[in-house]
């Protein structure tokens, strides 16, 4: 990944592509134990799985906790600039000179940017704001452990 933007809210990266095929273990049960080796039957390329529009796709690393019901600090977001934005989608927004990640809420002609952390207030967009929906979050990658 090549870092293309750094701020206190997030870092943005451009993906670098390679052919990396990883064994796909099929579906993993969250219940009783199964032997994964018995199910390895194909290989996947994570670039092909996660990225639909290579020239319009970026990664962003989450900083902060305003979206902690959806993402944790340090999670890697896959952002697609070619994806259409609409009510309910989570977007990387450029508002008044700063990037932020929020859920788009449009109700009765009013646009709000909603955090998922209840400690933060929704942001109501007015004519005084400059807002650009920079891209839509299509996947997130989280480190466990």
């Amino acid at each position: 990944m090549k870092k293309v933007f750094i701020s206190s809210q997030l870092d943005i990266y451009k993906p670098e592509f390679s052919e990396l095929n990883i064994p796909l273990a099929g579906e993993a049960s969250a219940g009783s134990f199964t032997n994964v080796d018995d199910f390895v039957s194909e290989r996947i390329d994570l670039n092909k799985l996660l990225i639909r529009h290579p020239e319009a796709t970026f990664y962003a690393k989450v900083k902060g906790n305003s979206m902690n019901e959806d993402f944790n600090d340090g999670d890697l977001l896959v952002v697609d600039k070619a994806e259409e934005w609409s009510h309910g989608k989570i977007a990387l927004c450029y508002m008044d000179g700063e990037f932020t990640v929020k859920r788009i809420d449009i109700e009765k002609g009013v646009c709000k940017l909603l955090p998922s952390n209840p400690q933060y207030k929704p942001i109501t967009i007015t004519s005084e704001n400059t807002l650009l929906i920079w891209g839509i979050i299509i996947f997130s990658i989280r480190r466990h452990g």
Side-chain angles (χ1 to χ4, degrees):
M1 295 187 309
K2 179 181 175 187
K3 196 177 284 192
V4 295
F5 179 83
I6 303 168
S7 78
S8 60
Q9 280 78 33
L10 59 104
D11 297 338
I12 299 177
Y13 303 85
K14 185 71 180 153
E16 295 177 6
F17 297 94
S18 64
E19 290 293 323
L20 175 63
N21 291 307
I22 300 170
L24 178 63
E27 295 178 1
S29 171
S32 59
F33 176 77
T34 59
N35 187 350
V36 173
D37 291 335
D38 293 341
F39 298 102
V40 175
S41 61
E42 61 182 296
R43 301 179 77 76
I44 61 169
D45 180 338
L46 289 178
N47 287 321
K48 291 177 184 171
L49 177 68
L50 299 177
I51 298 173
R52 288 185 281 207
H53 307 105
E55 294 303 315
T57 299
F58 292 82
Y59 296 118
K61 188 176 254 186
V62 175
K63 292 182 179 178
N65 65 354
S66 73
M67 293 297 290
N68 72 346
E69 295 292 322
D70 295 292
F71 313 115
N72 291 332
D73 187 74
D75 285 357
L76 191 64
L77 307 178
V78 180
V79 182
D80 190 335
K81 292 180 72 170
E83 193 72 22
E84 291 287 325
W85 64 271
S86 62
H87 173 79
K89 290 191 177 182
I90 299 175
L92 175 56
C93 306
Y94 188 72
M95 188 177 118
D96 299 334
E98 293 186 22
F99 281 103
T100 187
V101 175
K102 298 288 183 277
R103 186 175 303 277
I104 300 168
D105 180 68
I106 302 170
E107 189 175 322
K108 297 180 183 175
V110 176
C111 179
K112 293 181 182 179
L113 301 179
L114 305 179
S116 63
N117 183 336
Q119 294 180 348
Y120 290 80
K121 295 181 189 242
I123 301 167
T124 301
I125 305 304
T126 68
S127 60
E128 296 175 11
N129 299 112
T130 302
L131 174 67
L132 172 66
I133 304 298
W134 201 77
I136 298 300
I137 310 306
I138 56 172
F139 287 101
S140 64
I141 302 168
R142 175 175 295 163
R143 180 180 179 88
H144 295 274

